[in-house]
Amino acid sequence: MDYKLRQVTWELTLKCNLRCIHCGSNAGEKRRKELTTKEALDVVKDLADLGVDEICFLGGEPFLRKDWFEIANEAKEFGIRTLFISNGCINKNVISKLCKLEPYGVAVSIDGMEKVHDAIRGRSSFKKAISFLLSCKDNGLPMTIITTVNKLNLRELPKIKDFIIGKNIAWQIQIASPQGRLSRHLVVSEEEFYAVGLFIAWLRKKYSTKELPVIGAHCCGYFSNYLPNINMSYWKGCSAGINILGIKSNGDTIGCLSIPEKFIEGNLRRKGIKEIWNDNNAFSYNRKFNEEQLGTNCKGCKYWKKCKGGCNGLSFFMTNQFHNDPYCYYRIEKKFFKLDKI
């Protein structure tokens, strides 16, 4: 079976100017031997040769890498659309460069209103992030905020809604997993997770996409009997190694940046990205998926062929195995509503 690589998430650097308590990457200092400018530009060319549609640049804080514009502009020259995810606590001189790139989107992380956001990300980070967000919007850039939900900011969701409604800013809500700096006791419970799903579904019913474009990320699902689809797209199982690839700043490649490093498929200094992607034995956890790989949370589920056990990142960090995501609407409804026949 041929696999078409469509989207790449690229950690330009692990260097970051914040120390967020929920950071799954444990960002701060840059990695040893991060790719040089030439190496990064060669990677862009190889991605273009593979027919990649989209590159999402993130970090760490991607704008702390001095050659970020050169790398992103190379992608643009090859006709690859670009996205950026930032903490927003950066010099606004990057905005003029972003405008030249005409990105598909720019996302800023907002994890609550000022008190809670600053408690999670650091003093004065809220004001800086909001200032950057609004300045980008004033310059015509398509803006999104990303909220990563944990026990510290769960109750902030309605306040964030009130803040951004009608401002033509998209909103992506996702669930924090116990990796990096996030302690497991801060991960939302199954009941809290379902409440987030209810909240997103309510927003999508109450407000038009013009008033408040809101989605649940790939970790928000799946197959509820009561909640409409709130995911980024109809869930067809984890896409890592199927049509998505992650690149770390030192050239390590992995199906998804949200899964453990032991699943790294190779390093771009030793293997070309085409060789890694086209290796018949690569990404076996997804490419060779079968029913036997399902964990106890998913065995016997009637949706297993479609769902394939949910988000593998959340699944692994919650249960120490893939294809076993406990944060599943269908599973939670059966468990808490005692609907054994659904």
Side-chain angles (χ1 to χ4, degrees):
M1 180 177 180
D2 293 329
Y3 297 96
K4 165 64 176 170
L5 179 57
R6 299 194 176 279
Q7 184 186 63
V8 170
T9 52
W10 189 341
E11 174 200 274
L12 280 180
T13 180
L14 195 61
K15 185 177 181 179
C16 191
N17 50 356
L18 300 181
R19 298 294 184 275
C20 307
I21 64 175
H22 65 334
C23 180
S25 301
N26 201 16
E29 301 301 321
K30 69 178 186 179
R31 294 183 189 275
R32 292 181 64 251
K33 298 182 179 179
E34 293 192 334
L35 295 176
T36 66
T37 302
K38 182 183 183 307
E39 288 172 329
L41 295 177
D42 287 343
V43 171
V44 173
K45 183 180 184 304
D46 288 343
L47 293 175
D49 289 344
L50 278 170
V52 168
D53 300 320
E54 179 181 294
I55 301 175
C56 176
F57 294 107
L58 58 146
E61 172 49 55
F63 299 125
L64 292 182
R65 178 162 173 145
K66 294 180 180 179
D67 58 359
W68 71 268
F69 177 80
E70 187 176 353
I71 298 168
N73 190 60
E74 185 79 349
K76 181 187 177 185
E77 292 297 314
F78 277 109
I80 302 173
R81 66 181 188 175
T82 58
L83 296 91
F84 297 86
I85 299 177
S86 170
N87 61 39
C89 297
I90 52 170
N91 195 307
K92 292 182 184 178
N93 62 14
V94 307
I95 296 176
S96 60
K97 293 181 179 180
L98 279 171
C99 291
K100 292 177 183 178
L101 292 172
E102 301 176 302
Y104 177 72
V106 179
V108 177
S109 298
I110 301 294
D111 290 313
M113 300 312 291
E114 186 170 2
K115 182 178 180 180
V116 173
H117 181 95
D118 284 3
I120 292 172
R121 292 183 169 266
R123 187 176 180 181
S124 300
S125 59
F126 179 80
K127 288 181 179 178
K128 292 176 182 177
I130 293 299
S131 177
F132 177 75
L133 171 73
L134 297 179
S135 294
C136 285
K137 183 177 176 298
D138 289 343
N139 279 273
L141 291 166
M143 300 305 297
T144 296
I145 68 167
I146 297 177
T147 301
T148 303
V149 182
N150 57 72
K151 286 184 181 293
L152 296 175
N153 66 350
L154 179 64
R155 296 179 183 275
E156 294 291 292
L157 295 179
K159 300 175 186 177
I160 297 173
K161 180 267 294 183
D162 291 340
F163 181 78
I164 66 169
I165 192 165
K167 289 185 171 67
N168 194 30
I169 297 172
W171 190 10
Q172 177 178 307
I173 300 174
Q174 58 194 37
I175 303 300
S177 64
Q179 57 177 306
R181 284 196 287 268
L182 184 71
S183 300
R184 194 179 186 92
H185 75 275
L186 292 179
V187 177
V188 295
S189 66
E190 292 177 357
E191 295 94 331
E192 290 167 333
F193 168 77
Y194 196 81
V196 173
L198 286 168
F199 177 74
I200 298 172
W202 171 73
L203 290 179
R204 289 167 68 94
K205 183 176 182 179
K206 182 176 177 64
Y207 301 104
S208 68
T209 53
K210 185 176 181 180
E211 292 175 294
L212 184 63
V214 58
I215 55 172
H218 57 271
C219 50
C220 291
Y222 315 87
F223 301 100
S224 168
N225 284 272
Y226 307 107
L227 303 180
N229 179 45
I230 62 173
N231 202 255
M232 297 173 70
S233 59
Y234 183 72
W235 183 254
K236 298 177 182 178
C238 175
S239 296
I242 304 297
N243 50 46
I244 289 177
L245 181 71
I247 301 176
K248 295 180 183 288
S249 56
N250 62 356
D252 284 341
T253 59
I254 192 167
C256 172
L257 291 177
S258 296
I259 63 176
E261 291 192 348
K262 71 177 185 177
F263 295 101
I264 289 171
E265 302 289 345
N267 185 278
L268 297 178
R269 289 190 172 107
R270 296 185 288 274
K271 250 184 183 181
I273 199 161
K274 296 177 190 176
E275 183 183 357
I276 291 172
W277 184 257
N278 293 321
D279 186 341
N280 291 329
N281 295 314
F283 315 102
S284 59
Y285 50 87
N286 271 347
R287 292 185 180 181
K288 298 181 180 181
F289 169 77
N290 59 63
E291 188 176 6
E292 296 302 312
Q293 292 175 265
L294 293 172
T296 55
N297 288 322
C298 302
K299 281 193 183 299
C301 178
K302 66 180 180 180
Y303 293 113
W304 75 268
K305 288 184 179 180
K306 296 179 181 179
C307 184
K308 301 176 182 176
C311 169
N312 273 333
L314 201 52
S315 175
F316 194 92
F317 286 106
M318 290 302 298
T319 70
N320 203 37
Q321 68 177 106
F322 286 154
H323 313 295
N324 193 41
D325 188 352
Y327 289 103
C328 162
Y329 296 146
Y330 177 69
R331 174 183 172 276
I332 292 171
E333 286 167 355
K334 287 185 69 175
K335 178 179 179 181
F336 291 107
F337 301 160
K338 307 298 183 184
L339 300 178
D340 295 331
K341 295 182 180 181
I342 65 173

